[in-house]
Amino acid sequence: MSATGTPAPSAGADTGESGHLQRNLQNRHVQLIAIGGAIGTGLFMGSGKTIATAGPSILLVYIIIGAILFMFMRAMGELLLSDSRYHTFADIARDLIGPWAGFVTGWTYWMCWVVTGVADVIAITGYVRFWWPQTPAWIPIVITTVLLFSLNAMTVKAFGETEFWFALVKIIAILALVVVGFIMVAMHTTSEAGTTAAVSNLWSHGGVFPKGFIGFLGGFQIALFAFVGIELVGTTTAETADPEKTLPKAINSIPVRIMLFYVAALAAIMMVTPWDQVDPERSPFVTMFSMTGLAAAATIVNIVVLTSAASSANSGIYSTSRMLFGLASRGDAPKIFARLSRHHVPKNALFLSCVCLLSGIIVMASGGSISAAFTLVTSMSATLFMGVWVVIIVSYLIYLRRYPERHEASVFKAPRGAASAWIVFIFMLAMVAVLTLFEDTRQGLFTSLVWIVFIVGAALINRHRMLKRAEEGTLDHEAAGV
């Protein structure tokens, strides 16, 4: 039996209805997936808009979000390690809140990454147009989708290896940007606009809060999206050789990663190019490297940020296919998605998730700029992710009350326990309120709320169906949640 009370997926033939996922991800894969999950497209593509919206106060925005999500990740880590049968967030919600919550969480997390994948392919379209401005959106979107399906259809070890190198490229790019930025400051490099690189650029153009408190709040809308995927390391536990060792190590390194990859990188950008000269429509990473004078610098960085977007989409497709596999294994999705290929990959679930990425073509065809389309999709994604994060936090609070002995025995307790969980919960509610304040994020927020209403309704219908099967004797009452 699984932790949710339903029969655990049984071992079967390689292409059977519900075989086992393989524990082929090693420590180096998990650590780089964790780092890659903390460096999303929102940093490379969205940082221009966040800087233009909040000015230098964006550094404080990233520190606050990072601190809150570190508390969240510690709670998530304690939950995942408290029971080896928890393989997905849906397992946690199903066991601690109820079957309906597992259904809602599983499908919402699937939708989270589908929407994020759409944002990534939109970003990739923007990067491709750096070289070929008139490229129709459908071409890079279709090519990316086919490539992602091919990469993920191989073994999980192949996915881990691919994501390892994708993440390594992102890390090297950001470290290079930080180093180059500080060298420019030390050399007092002057831009074409006549601005000299200096630390004082962080406060000499209207202060640290040049757009006031509203501008500061506005920075959270895209900055939140930059962190989606930070929880991705938790979805790898079912395919990780030693989760008790690798998961705590990956989570505990989050504060250092945030200070280096977000705060230091954005500080370097704003010291070289004052916040009020940053173009919200372009990646400031590309802009800054263009200032080095190296002819190929902008092209190289554009390749890097394109790789980053592909990496994020790659991680998302991996996550959605595993979540859909888990839903199908429990009867919350059609059984066809519980089938594994001979490489132990849920190929049918993978195929559906990839097909959904093609909706990016429709979003792009609806008109507007790359930035407008990206903001619409990312605000929806951020809201859905916050919904999943809230479910995990609520599950953690229930876990503390229901299983105090597990909490006491845990070797990886969340700092301050319930207190930190409540801080995360209140912060998430505040962020939903912030998203309602701005027109460009309000539409994405309302669209995500429509999804939540729909999936909760579907969960209730599914529960009624399960109860009916239990009454007819075709399903045991424990599996039906009664």
Side-chain angles (χ1 to χ4, degrees):
M1 299 293 287
S2 73
T4 62
T6 56
S10 59
D14 284 339
T15 55
E17 291 289 326
S18 54
H20 284 310
L21 297 173
Q22 301 297 293
R23 289 187 177 273
N24 289 332
L25 291 179
Q26 303 301 317
N27 180 61
R28 68 185 181 90
H29 295 136
V30 174
Q31 300 307 322
L32 268 292
I33 288 171
I35 293 174
I39 309 172
T41 309
L43 176 62
F44 288 107
M45 181 74 175
S47 54
K49 181 171 182 179
T50 58
I51 290 172
T53 299
S57 67
I58 194 63
L59 301 179
L60 183 57
V61 168
Y62 277 101
I63 290 171
I64 291 172
I65 297 176
I68 294 294
L69 289 184
F70 176 63
M71 295 183 207
F72 160 77
M73 289 293 289
R74 286 297 300 263
M76 184 198 78
E78 182 180 341
L79 280 175
L80 285 169
L81 295 179
S82 71
D83 192 325
S84 61
R85 296 169 298 179
Y86 290 162
H87 292 161
T88 68
F89 306 135
D91 292 337
I92 294 172
R94 186 180 181 89
D95 184 41
L96 295 170
I97 302 177
W100 70 271
F103 183 96
V104 170
T105 302
W107 277 109
T108 299
Y109 194 68
W110 176 82
M111 178 58 76
C112 281
W113 275 110
V114 166
V115 174
T116 301
V118 171
D120 291 328
V121 295
I122 288 173
I124 288 171
T125 301
Y127 297 141
V128 168
R129 287 179 177 174
F130 173 82
W131 295 295
W132 303 287
Q134 303 306 315
T135 304
W138 70 267
I139 294 177
I141 291 175
V142 169
I143 291 174
T144 300
T145 301
V146 171
L147 179 62
L148 291 174
F149 178 82
S150 301
L151 288 173
N152 279 271
M154 296 185 285
T155 63
V156 67
K157 189 172 183 180
F159 159 78
E161 207 61 47
T162 302
E163 195 55 31
F164 175 87
W165 292 106
F166 271 161
L168 199 59
V169 167
K170 289 193 278 190
I171 293 167
I172 292 172
I174 294 176
L175 291 177
L177 178 133
V178 172
V179 171
V180 168
F182 280 94
I183 289 175
M184 286 182 169
V185 170
M187 296 176 63
H188 303 292
T189 304
T190 302
S191 68
E192 293 180 359
T195 304
T196 301
V199 176
S200 60
N201 285 335
L202 292 175
W203 59 79
S204 61
H205 289 254
V208 176
F209 295 88
K211 293 289 191 76
F213 186 64
I214 293 297
F216 172 66
L217 290 179
F220 283 91
Q221 53 182 327
I222 296 295
L224 271 171
F225 178 73
F227 284 91
V228 302
I230 196 170
E231 80 300 318
L232 182 65
V233 65
T235 68
T236 66
T237 54
E239 295 173 276
T240 302
D242 188 7
E244 289 79 11
K245 178 181 178 182
T246 55
L247 189 61
K249 186 176 180 181
I251 291 174
N252 284 336
S253 63
I254 286 175
V256 174
R257 297 202 304 266
I258 290 169
M259 292 304 295
L260 179 60
F261 299 130
Y262 287 100
V263 179
L266 294 184
I269 288 170
M270 289 185 287
M271 285 190 291
V272 172
T273 305
W275 73 271
D276 52 354
Q277 295 176 22
V278 172
D279 184 354
E281 294 290 331
R282 294 190 63 193
S283 169
F285 286 76
V286 177
T287 303
M288 199 181 101
F289 275 103
S290 298
M291 293 174 59
T292 61
L294 299 175
T299 296
I300 292 171
V301 176
N302 203 66
I303 292 173
V304 169
V305 294
L306 190 152
T307 302
S308 172
S311 165
S312 176
N314 188 44
S315 297
I317 288 300
Y318 165 85
S319 186
T320 54
S321 62
R322 270 56 180 182
M323 185 59 74
L324 191 52
F325 168 79
L327 287 165
S329 298
R330 290 190 301 272
D332 289 342
K335 282 293 182 184
I336 191 173
F337 298 120
R339 294 176 182 171
L340 295 181
S341 70
R342 61 189 179 87
H343 296 300
H344 298 276
V345 171
K347 187 176 283 188
N348 293 332
L350 173 65
F351 179 77
L352 177 63
S353 297
C354 285
V355 167
C356 289
L357 293 186
L358 299 178
S359 62
I361 298 173
I362 300 173
V363 175
M364 291 298 297
S366 64
S369 65
I370 292 282
S371 177
F374 187 76
T375 301
L376 169 66
V377 177
T378 53
S379 57
M380 180 179 178
S381 173
T383 306
L384 291 174
F385 269 100
M386 284 191 292
V388 172
W389 295 341
V390 165
V391 168
I392 295 171
I393 285 298
V394 170
S395 298
Y396 181 74
L397 290 169
I398 294 172
Y399 153 85
L400 290 178
R401 189 180 71 249
R402 188 180 299 172
Y403 303 112
E405 70 285 354
R406 284 194 202 175
H407 176 65
E408 287 303 317
S410 175
V411 295
F412 192 59
K413 294 185 181 72
R416 311 302 298 176
S420 62
W422 277 110
I423 291 172
V424 175
F425 183 80
I426 293 169
F427 176 81
M428 296 303 171
L429 294 182
M431 287 303 97
V432 171
V434 167
L435 290 174
T436 65
L437 297 176
F438 303 92
E439 186 177 352
D440 55 355
T441 57
R442 202 176 294 135
Q443 186 177 352
L445 170 65
F446 291 155
T447 304
S448 63
L449 292 178
V450 169
W451 163 263
I452 291 172
V453 170
F454 164 76
I455 204 62
V456 169
L460 295 176
I461 293 172
N462 183 66
R463 184 174 184 274
H464 177 74
R465 178 177 62 85
M466 299 285 273
L467 289 172
K468 188 174 182 180
R469 286 179 59 192
E471 291 171 359
E472 293 171 351
T474 59
L475 184 72
D476 66 69
H477 282 67
E478 184 183 11
V482 296

